[in-house]
Amino acid sequence: MNLTKREFFQVLGAGTMAGMGLGAYADADAATAANGLYDIPKFGSVSFLHMTDCHAQLKPIYFREPNVNLGIGGMKGNLPHLVGEHLLKAAKVRPGTAEAHALTYLDYEKAARRYGKVGGFAHLATLVKRLKASRPGALLLDGGDTWQGSGTALWTNGQDMVDACKLLGVDVMTGHWEFTLGMERVKEIIEKDFAGKVDFVAQNVKTNDFGDPVFKPYVIREINGVPCAIIGQAFPYTPIANPRYMVADWAFGIQDENMQKMVDEARGKGAQVVVVLSHNGMDVDLKMASRVTGIDAIMGGHTHDGMPVASLVSNKGGKTIVTNAGSNSKFLGVLDFDVKDKKVSDFRYKLLPVFANMLPADREMDALITRVRAPYEAKLSEQLAITEGTLYRRGNFNGTGDQLLVDALMDVQGADIAFSPGFRWGTSLLPGQAITREWVMDMTATTYSYATLTEMSGETIKTVLEDVADNLFNPDPYYQQGGDMVRVGGLQYSCNPLAGMGKRIDEMRLNGKLIEADKKYKVAGWAPVAEEARNQGNKQMSEVVETWLKARGGKVSARKLNTPKLTGVLPNPGYAPV
């Protein structure tokens, strides 16, 4: 895509979230507010709707955005590494508005009670239908992490989400956590449920033996007479971040050279618009956009960044748009293209928050959700305790929901130290809300959620922390694997994200005493990627948490966050203490 400097600034300004003046609607009834937020003028002739990382959340939920999303090196001060007021300034969104609440953690509890829950497939379906009606031919793209993240998705082997996505009208998708259902299940869904309805694309997944494509690398669909290619980019580090045995026959990777080949091939077949549906993570997408030419837009996922403005990346062939549509069915991205002389001449981008009280539930989708949840409703709704503080997961180093998990691990497993993976999926609870089995599953539901107890030397503990820190803070995005820092219970330490590999972690202490390299410590954890873990008879993490919750006497006090002392990296617009 080629834009002049003047056009660049015009579209950059036009790329902010819809409803910048929503303050005028903030105290109005839901219908009036929805009109102010969701009535977007149609632009051009080609439109894509984009959802990603819903993590199997069929019902409306609360979800607190992070107050820590550090950018280092060239990423400092740039999207997606802005939080709070810094993000609102970049997006030109006024504090206190519904958009400000959707995008940030600011005044979270008060704003959440005012604006209500977000997401929910019945409400998302209403918005999708509304936008497709105003944009005939628009395609709905699903960036993956769709079939995992809830109790019902785990217990139905992803079938609840497959049925919901077909009804929602998903046209094309790619994947990541989908692969943790196993190769056979993924192929079964694609070959049976999706046949003739949904295209699953991933140019970077090949067989280990002969290097053959496992999935379609791309599809070409006509939108109002314009041939449009959608190229899939599945999560490149699936066999590293998740158990390799679940995808034993498949190889992944970023594969820039093959991506360039697919772009050129699609262009050669007449594609006038080329979009990459990516699960790389936004920093990786930004680098890919600078290296691969001929891509009009990368619509990305994995890092759960709700981006209210599109980033424009220059490369030797022109410019590429990079967007990301958040998580938990909380947002829907809308990308409109004006195509002239068989190429993109201009675009408009909007990120729409899905507010459940501003969008009526679609009756057909609501009925499906009720039906698929019915066998599990009593089990899901069982109250285990009441939380006295807000529980949330997001943030580079810890969240109160993860603090609850490590506290439970240490107490129930009898450990000195506890590790919890830096997963970014998981829902939030407000003070006074019930902690139900559903919330526990929202935080722990994977196909390998075994709780573990291991003796580790101090040296090994440091190695673990250093490895995860490098995955998160490596200055080269292609060496990052997404996710956040491992959450730690019991152990205190300092972290310098700007230091070199193996030198970021220091001052590790347990009960005030320095960790000794040769001494053994009892370390509890969960979600091990090693294959042998599934045959050791360990409890599920959800069982550990339930045991701990039921021993609290009905109430769980507000969790005190255990986070590292940061050195060398502050101040940073991706960090806001709370």
Coordinates of all heavy atoms in Angstrom, one line a residue, residues 229-266:
A229 N -6.9 -11.5 -0.7 CA -6.2 -12.7 -0.2 C -6.1 -12.5 1.4 O -5.7 -11.4 1.8 CB -4.8 -12.8 -0.8
I230 N -6.4 -13.6 2.1 CA -6.2 -13.6 3.5 C -5.2 -14.7 3.8 O -5.5 -15.9 3.6 CB -7.5 -13.9 4.3 CG1 -8.6 -12.8 3.9 CG2 -7.2 -13.9 5.8 CD1 -9.5 -13.3 2.9
I231 N -4.0 -14.4 4.3 CA -2.9 -15.3 4.5 C -2.9 -15.6 6.0 O -2.9 -14.6 6.8 CB -1.6 -14.8 4.0 CG1 -1.6 -14.4 2.6 CG2 -0.4 -15.8 4.3 CD1 -0.4 -13.7 2.0
G232 N -2.8 -16.8 6.4 CA -2.7 -17.2 7.8 C -1.3 -17.3 8.4 O -0.4 -17.7 7.7
Q233 N -1.2 -16.8 9.6 CA 0.1 -16.9 10.3 C -0.3 -17.4 11.7 O -0.6 -16.6 12.6 CB 0.8 -15.5 10.4 CG 2.1 -15.5 11.2 CD 3.3 -16.1 10.5 OE1 3.1 -16.6 9.3 NE2 4.4 -16.1 11.1
A234 N -0.1 -18.7 12.0 CA -0.4 -19.3 13.3 C 0.7 -18.9 14.2 O 1.8 -18.4 13.8 CB -0.5 -20.8 13.2
F235 N 0.5 -19.1 15.5 CA 1.5 -18.8 16.5 C 2.8 -19.5 16.2 O 2.8 -20.8 16.3 CB 1.0 -19.1 17.9 CG 2.0 -18.7 19.0 CD1 2.6 -17.5 19.1 CD2 2.4 -19.7 20.0 CE1 3.5 -17.1 20.1 CE2 3.3 -19.3 21.0 CZ 3.8 -18.1 21.0
P236 N 3.9 -18.9 16.0 CA 5.1 -19.5 15.5 C 5.8 -20.4 16.5 O 6.6 -21.3 16.2 CB 6.0 -18.4 15.0 CG 5.5 -17.2 15.8 CD 4.0 -17.4 15.9
Y237 N 5.6 -20.1 17.8 CA 6.3 -20.8 18.9 C 5.4 -21.9 19.6 O 5.7 -22.2 20.8 CB 6.9 -19.8 19.9 CG 7.9 -18.9 19.2 CD1 7.6 -17.5 19.1 CD2 9.1 -19.4 18.7 CE1 8.5 -16.7 18.5 CE2 10.0 -18.5 18.2 CZ 9.7 -17.2 18.0 OH 10.6 -16.3 17.5
T238 N 4.4 -22.4 19.0 CA 3.5 -23.3 19.6 C 4.2 -24.5 20.3 O 3.9 -24.8 21.4 CB 2.4 -23.8 18.6 OG1 1.6 -22.7 18.2 CG2 1.5 -24.8 19.3
P239 N 5.2 -25.2 19.6 CA 5.8 -26.3 20.2 C 6.7 -26.0 21.4 O 7.2 -26.9 22.1 CB 6.6 -27.0 19.1 CG 6.1 -26.3 17.8 CD 5.6 -25.0 18.2
I240 N 7.0 -24.7 21.6 CA 7.9 -24.3 22.7 C 7.0 -23.8 23.9 O 7.3 -24.2 25.0 CB 8.8 -23.2 22.2 CG1 9.7 -23.7 21.1 CG2 9.7 -22.7 23.4 CD1 10.6 -22.6 20.4
A241 N 6.1 -22.9 23.6 CA 5.2 -22.4 24.6 C 4.2 -23.4 25.1 O 3.7 -23.2 26.3 CB 4.5 -21.1 24.1
N242 N 3.9 -24.4 24.4 CA 2.9 -25.4 24.7 C 3.5 -26.8 24.5 O 4.6 -26.9 23.9 CB 1.6 -25.2 23.9 CG 1.0 -23.8 23.9 OD1 1.2 -23.1 23.0 ND2 0.4 -23.5 25.0
P243 N 2.9 -27.8 25.0 CA 3.5 -29.1 24.9 C 3.7 -29.6 23.5 O 2.8 -29.6 22.7 CB 2.5 -30.1 25.6 CG 1.8 -29.2 26.6 CD 1.7 -27.9 25.9
R244 N 5.0 -29.9 23.2 CA 5.3 -30.3 21.8 C 4.6 -31.6 21.4 O 4.3 -31.8 20.2 CB 6.8 -30.6 21.7 CG 7.3 -30.9 20.3 CD 8.9 -31.1 20.3 NE 9.5 -29.8 20.6 CZ 9.8 -28.9 19.7 NH1 9.5 -29.1 18.4 NH2 10.5 -27.8 20.0
Y245 N 4.3 -32.5 22.4 CA 3.7 -33.8 22.0 C 2.3 -33.6 21.4 O 1.8 -34.5 20.7 CB 3.6 -34.7 23.2 CG 2.8 -34.3 24.4 CD1 1.4 -34.5 24.4 CD2 3.4 -33.7 25.5 CE1 0.7 -34.1 25.5 CE2 2.7 -33.3 26.6 CZ 1.3 -33.5 26.6 OH 0.6 -33.1 27.7
M246 N 1.7 -32.4 21.7 CA 0.3 -32.2 21.2 C 0.4 -31.8 19.7 O -0.7 -31.9 19.0 CB -0.3 -31.1 21.9 CG -0.6 -31.5 23.4 SD -1.3 -30.1 24.3 CE -1.8 -31.0 25.8
V247 N 1.5 -31.4 19.2 CA 1.7 -31.1 17.7 C 2.9 -31.8 17.2 O 3.7 -31.2 16.5 CB 1.8 -29.6 17.5 CG1 0.4 -28.9 17.7 CG2 2.8 -28.9 18.4
A248 N 3.1 -33.1 17.6 CA 4.4 -33.8 17.4 C 4.8 -33.9 15.9 O 6.0 -33.9 15.6 CB 4.3 -35.2 18.0
D249 N 3.8 -33.9 15.0 CA 4.1 -34.1 13.6 C 4.3 -32.8 12.8 O 4.5 -32.8 11.6 CB 3.0 -34.9 12.9 CG 2.9 -36.3 13.5 OD1 3.9 -36.8 14.1 OD2 1.9 -36.9 13.4
W250 N 4.1 -31.7 13.5 CA 4.1 -30.4 12.8 C 5.2 -29.5 13.2 O 5.6 -29.4 14.4 CB 2.7 -29.7 13.1 CG 1.5 -30.4 12.6 CD1 1.5 -31.5 11.8 CD2 0.2 -30.2 13.0 NE1 0.2 -31.9 11.6 CE2 -0.6 -31.2 12.3 CE3 -0.5 -29.3 13.8 CZ2 -2.0 -31.2 12.5 CZ3 -1.8 -29.3 14.0 CH2 -2.6 -30.3 13.3
A251 N 5.7 -28.7 12.3 CA 6.7 -27.7 12.5 C 6.1 -26.3 12.4 O 5.3 -26.1 11.5 CB 7.9 -27.9 11.6
F252 N 6.5 -25.4 13.2 CA 6.0 -24.0 13.1 C 7.2 -23.1 12.8 O 8.2 -23.4 12.3 CB 5.3 -23.7 14.5 CG 4.1 -24.4 14.7 CD1 4.1 -25.8 15.0 CD2 2.8 -23.8 14.7 CE1 2.9 -26.5 15.3 CE2 1.6 -24.5 14.9 CZ 1.7 -25.8 15.2
G253 N 7.0 -21.8 13.2 CA 8.1 -20.8 12.9 C 7.5 -19.6 12.3 O 6.3 -19.5 11.9
I254 N 8.3 -18.5 12.3 CA 7.8 -17.2 11.7 C 7.8 -17.3 10.2 O 6.8 -16.9 9.5 CB 8.7 -16.0 12.2 CG1 8.5 -15.9 13.7 CG2 8.3 -14.8 11.4 CD1 9.4 -14.8 14.3
Q255 N 8.9 -17.7 9.6 CA 9.0 -18.0 8.1 C 8.7 -16.8 7.2 O 7.7 -16.9 6.4 CB 8.0 -19.2 7.8 CG 8.4 -20.5 8.6 CD 7.6 -21.7 8.1 OE1 7.1 -21.8 7.0 NE2 7.5 -22.7 9.0
D256 N 9.4 -15.8 7.4 CA 9.3 -14.6 6.6 C 9.4 -14.9 5.1 O 8.7 -14.3 4.2 CB 10.4 -13.6 6.9 CG 10.0 -12.7 8.2 OD1 8.8 -12.8 8.6 OD2 10.9 -12.0 8.7
E257 N 10.4 -15.7 4.7 CA 10.6 -16.0 3.3 C 9.4 -16.7 2.7 O 9.0 -16.3 1.5 CB 11.9 -16.9 3.1 CG 13.2 -16.2 3.4 CD 14.4 -17.1 3.1 OE1 14.2 -18.2 2.6 OE2 15.5 -16.6 3.5
N258 N 8.8 -17.6 3.4 CA 7.6 -18.3 2.8 C 6.4 -17.3 2.8 O 5.6 -17.3 1.9 CB 7.3 -19.5 3.6 CG 6.3 -20.4 2.9 OD1 6.6 -20.9 1.8 ND2 5.1 -20.6 3.4
M259 N 6.4 -16.4 3.8 CA 5.3 -15.4 3.8 C 5.4 -14.5 2.6 O 4.4 -14.2 1.9 CB 5.4 -14.6 5.1 CG 4.4 -13.4 5.1 SD 2.6 -13.9 5.1 CE 2.5 -14.4 6.8
Q260 N 6.7 -14.1 2.2 CA 6.8 -13.3 1.1 C 6.4 -14.0 -0.2 O 5.8 -13.5 -1.1 CB 8.3 -12.8 0.9 CG 8.6 -11.9 -0.2 CD 7.9 -10.5 0.0 OE1 8.3 -9.8 0.9 NE2 6.9 -10.2 -0.8
K261 N 6.8 -15.3 -0.2 CA 6.4 -16.2 -1.4 C 4.9 -16.2 -1.5 O 4.3 -16.2 -2.6 CB 7.0 -17.6 -1.2 CG 6.7 -18.5 -2.3 CD 7.3 -19.9 -2.0 CE 6.9 -20.9 -3.1 NZ 7.5 -22.2 -2.8
M262 N 4.2 -16.4 -0.4 CA 2.7 -16.5 -0.4 C 2.1 -15.1 -0.8 O 1.1 -15.1 -1.6 CB 2.2 -16.9 1.0 CG 2.5 -18.3 1.4 SD 1.9 -19.6 0.3 CE 3.4 -19.9 -0.7
V263 N 2.6 -14.0 -0.4 CA 2.1 -12.7 -0.8 C 2.3 -12.6 -2.3 O 1.4 -12.2 -3.0 CB 2.9 -11.6 0.0 CG1 2.5 -10.2 -0.6 CG2 2.6 -11.6 1.5
D264 N 3.5 -12.9 -2.8 CA 3.7 -12.7 -4.2 C 2.8 -13.7 -5.0 O 2.3 -13.3 -6.1 CB 5.2 -13.0 -4.5 CG 6.2 -12.0 -3.9 OD1 5.7 -10.9 -3.5 OD2 7.4 -12.4 -3.7
E265 N 2.6 -14.9 -4.5 CA 1.8 -15.8 -5.2 C 0.4 -15.3 -5.3 O -0.3 -15.4 -6.3 CB 1.9 -17.2 -4.5 CG 1.1 -18.3 -5.2 CD 1.3 -19.6 -4.5 OE1 2.4 -20.1 -4.4 OE2 0.2 -20.2 -4.0
A266 N -0.1 -14.8 -4.2 CA -1.5 -14.3 -4.1 C -1.7 -13.1 -5.1 O -2.7 -13.0 -5.8 CB -1.9 -14.0 -2.7

